[in-house]
């Protein structure tokens, strides 16, 4: 799990952080995003943090950027991969809102996300600190799925890094929805067992509860997974990662007085 430190807080008058989430009709989604925002604010009390959604939830991007009234801000997408939402939807929404904001990179891939995944597995009852336990446990990295081949490649690279650095019995990528290629959760669990894993764990590579995490949980239960972790949600590692993405992108923004509200 994450034990490192962020770089020093930016100076007073730094641009606001506009966190852009996808949104969902499921009330758990917005509640989780709000919990993450509270984590970010606790890490940077002087930083103005606002939230906007692409769809389903309020406030939407035009509402929030309108309240910024031209004050400097950095948009940070609450997304794990550079797929359609990151490449097309968010830039288009910002343009349509007349908001010429620097756009930070998506959250993944990052070692901090692996640390957050292990945090959730530990909370579900897996002794992730034991090399012996990891050596006999196969993990399914269960992502949403995307038709963008680059997004799938990034997830597979993250899985390979996780296997290489932590010595799991195996790490298989599975998808809850459409993907250019890849297995579903039951197929991934079967592959891990066939490769010799004596225990299987499912780690949802998703940021908030909703339809797809529920689908992953149901598939994992039906396939007899030994345990299924919670979504990444407001894990401390995710909050630190949001600020890292903000810090990198804010260098392109001139300092200005903080937002008034």
């Amino acid at each position: 799990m994450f034990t490192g430190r962020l770089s020093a807080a930016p100076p007073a008058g730094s641009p606001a952080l506009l966190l852009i989430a996808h949104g969902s009709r499921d009330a758990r989604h917005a509640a989780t995003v709000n919990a993450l925002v509270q984590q970010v604010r606790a890490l940077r009390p002087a930083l103005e943090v606002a939230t906007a959604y692409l769809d389903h939830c309020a406030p939407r991007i035009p509402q929030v950027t309108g309240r910024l009234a031209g004050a400097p801000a950095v948009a940070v997408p609450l997304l794990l991969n550079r797929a359609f939402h990151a490449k097309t939807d968010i830039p288009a929404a910002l343009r349509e809102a007349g908001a010429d904001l620097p756009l930070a990179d998506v959250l993944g891939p990052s070692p901090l996300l692996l640390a957050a995944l292990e945090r959730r597995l530990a909370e579900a009852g897996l002794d992730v600190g034991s090399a012996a336990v990891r050596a006999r446990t196969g993990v399914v990295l269960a992502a949403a799925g995307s038709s963008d081949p680059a997004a799938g490649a990034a997830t597979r690279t993250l899985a390979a890094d996780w296997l290489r650095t932590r010595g799991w019995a195996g790490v298989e990528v599975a998808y809850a929805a459409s993907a250019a290629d890849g297995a579903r959760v039951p197929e991934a669990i079967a592959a891990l067992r066939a490769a010799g894993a004596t225990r299987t764990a499912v780690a949802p590579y998703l940021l908030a509860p909703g339809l797809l995490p529920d689908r992953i949980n149901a598939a994992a239960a039906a396939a007899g997974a030994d345990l299924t972790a919670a979504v990444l949600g407001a894990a401390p590692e995710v909050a630190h990662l949001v600020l890292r993405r903000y810090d990198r992108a804010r260098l392109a923004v001139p300092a200005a007085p903080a937002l008034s509200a």
Side-chain angles (χ1 to χ4, degrees), residues 228-254:
T228 302
V231 294
L232 295 168
E237 296 86 356
V238 179
H240 281 280
L241 185 54
V242 166
L243 287 170
R244 285 191 177 181
R245 295 294 184 253
Y246 163 83
D247 285 338
R248 182 174 298 175
R250 74 178 172 83
L251 297 177
V253 186

Side-chain angles (χ1 to χ4, degrees), residues 154-257:
T155 302
R156 290 192 298 274
T157 297
L158 188 74
D161 288 344
W162 204 11
L163 176 63
R164 174 180 54 81
T165 59
R166 296 293 282 161
W168 299 103
V171 178
E172 292 285 334
V173 175
Y175 298 104
S178 60
D181 58 359
R184 297 301 176 97
V185 170
E187 298 166 339
I189 290 174
L192 289 167
R193 288 173 176 156
T198 59
R199 194 176 191 193
T200 55
V202 177
Y205 189 50
L206 296 160
L207 286 164
L211 175 64
L212 295 183
D214 288 349
R215 187 179 295 173
I216 288 169
N217 291 342
D226 292 291
L227 62 88
T228 302
V231 294
L232 295 168
E237 296 86 356
V238 179
H240 281 280
L241 185 54
V242 166
L243 287 170
R244 285 191 177 181
R245 295 294 184 253
Y246 163 83
D247 285 338
R248 182 174 298 175
R250 74 178 172 83
L251 297 177
V253 186

Side-chain angles (χ1 to χ4, degrees), residues 72-178:
V74 171
V76 179
L78 192 58
L79 300 170
L80 295 173
N81 279 323
R82 283 191 55 76
F84 187 79
H85 292 312
K87 294 177 179 178
T88 303
D89 280 350
I90 290 178
L94 289 170
R95 285 195 303 271
E96 289 170 10
D100 184 19
L101 305 182
L103 182 58
D105 200 2
V106 296
L107 301 183
S110 169
L112 282 172
L113 292 174
L114 294 181
L117 288 164
E118 291 199 8
R119 175 185 293 275
R120 295 304 187 220
L121 286 170
E123 291 168 350
L126 186 64
D127 184 4
V128 298
S130 168
V133 169
R134 296 196 306 272
R136 60 177 178 265
T137 302
V139 181
V140 178
L141 184 63
S146 171
S147 59
D148 188 323
T155 302
R156 290 192 298 274
T157 297
L158 188 74
D161 288 344
W162 204 11
L163 176 63
R164 174 180 54 81
T165 59
R166 296 293 282 161
W168 299 103
V171 178
E172 292 285 334
V173 175
Y175 298 104
S178 60

